[in-house]
Amino acid sequence: MRARSQARVTSGRASRTWSSRWSWLSVSVLFVVDPAKFDFYSINCYRLVGEDKLARTLAEEVLRAGTDFDGTERSPMRSTGARVTLGVTAAREGDLEQALIHGERALQDDRQSVPSLIMTSRELAAVMRLRCNKEPTAQGYLKNLQELGREKPGFLPS
């Protein structure tokens, strides 16, 4: 419980710091850090400490903010991470169907941040093994992860 409380306090403090730093920002600046990326990093913190509601809310926001009006994804690697987070939170709630939809969609994305995908996919695989290992659809997803692991060494532990 302490980790959850500390995550909330730290996230709030960091959010206020980011917000105060960007009021002076001008488009003429050559290099700009994207303040919206803060939500993306917060997703992992909240998911890892078990604050699924906050992780899910931020994942949905990352997907919304990263998608243009025509459906084009402006930040596909962030979207991939957000989808796996939605899969993890759905699996923890016992919603295998949604977990599989989000997990499979993340694995199909063209652009992937492999280290981030490794971390989150391991987590989703662990939750699925724990909660729904006997379900044929879960076994299919886990098999898909194993195949991806053979294609990309280091993706999943052997």
Side-chain angles (χ1 to χ4, degrees), residues 3 12 15 22 28 54 63 65 82 85 113 125-126 144:
S15 180
W22 300 109
S28 64
L54 287 168
L63 287 170
T85 292
S113 170
N144 190 358

Side-chain angles (χ1 to χ4, degrees), residues 111-125:
R111 291 186 58 202
Q112 299 171 340
S113 170
V114 176
S116 178
L117 190 56
I118 289 169
M119 179 184 70
T120 54
S121 292
R122 282 180 176 173
E123 200 172 337
L124 179 54

Side-chain angles (χ1 to χ4, degrees), residues 76-87:
M77 289 185 276
R78 290 184 209 173
S79 296
T80 297
R83 284 189 184 94
V84 177
T85 292
L86 291 173

Side-chain angles (χ1 to χ4, degrees), residues 3 7 13 28 33 40 49 51 63 71-72 91 93 98 111 114 116 118-120 146 153:
R13 188 178 309 134
S28 64
V33 175
F40 174 71
V49 298
E51 285 288 345
L63 287 170
T72 304
E93 293 171 352
Q98 284 300 306
R111 291 186 58 202
V114 176
S116 178
I118 289 169
M119 179 184 70
T120 54
Q146 290 171 342

Side-chain angles (χ1 to χ4, degrees), residues 10-25 33-39:
T10 302
S11 180
R13 188 178 309 134
S15 180
R16 286 188 300 277
T17 300
W18 273 94
S19 297
S20 69
R21 301 277 191 257
W22 300 109
S23 60
W24 54 269
L25 193 61
V33 175
D34 181 2
K37 199 165 190 177
F38 181 80
D39 286 344

Side-chain angles (χ1 to χ4, degrees), residues 21-138:
R21 301 277 191 257
W22 300 109
S23 60
W24 54 269
L25 193 61
S26 159
V27 291
S28 64
V29 175
L30 184 61
F31 177 75
V32 177
V33 175
D34 181 2
K37 199 165 190 177
F38 181 80
D39 286 344
F40 174 71
Y41 289 124
S42 296
I43 289 171
N44 294 326
C45 297
Y46 286 127
R47 189 190 63 252
L48 289 169
V49 298
E51 285 288 345
D52 290 339
K53 185 175 180 180
L54 287 168
R56 183 176 45 254
T57 299
L58 287 173
E60 290 166 349
E61 176 59 19
V62 165
L63 287 170
R64 187 202 61 73
T67 304
D68 258 337
F69 67 93
D70 64 355
T72 304
E73 288 187 345
R74 291 188 306 262
S75 49
M77 289 185 276
R78 290 184 209 173
S79 296
T80 297
R83 284 189 184 94
V84 177
T85 292
L86 291 173
V88 170
T89 60
R92 287 179 181 161
E93 293 171 352
D95 189 345
L96 175 61
E97 183 179 350
Q98 284 300 306
L100 289 169
I101 288 170
H102 293 299
E104 287 288 345
R105 176 68 171 89
L107 295 178
Q108 294 168 357
D109 287 343
D110 292 333
R111 291 186 58 202
Q112 299 171 340
S113 170
V114 176
S116 178
L117 190 56
I118 289 169
M119 179 184 70
T120 54
S121 292
R122 282 180 176 173
E123 200 172 337
L124 179 54
V127 173
M128 292 184 96
R129 281 187 188 106
L130 180 67
R131 301 205 177 195
C132 40
N133 193 30
K134 296 183 184 194
E135 294 289 331
T137 51

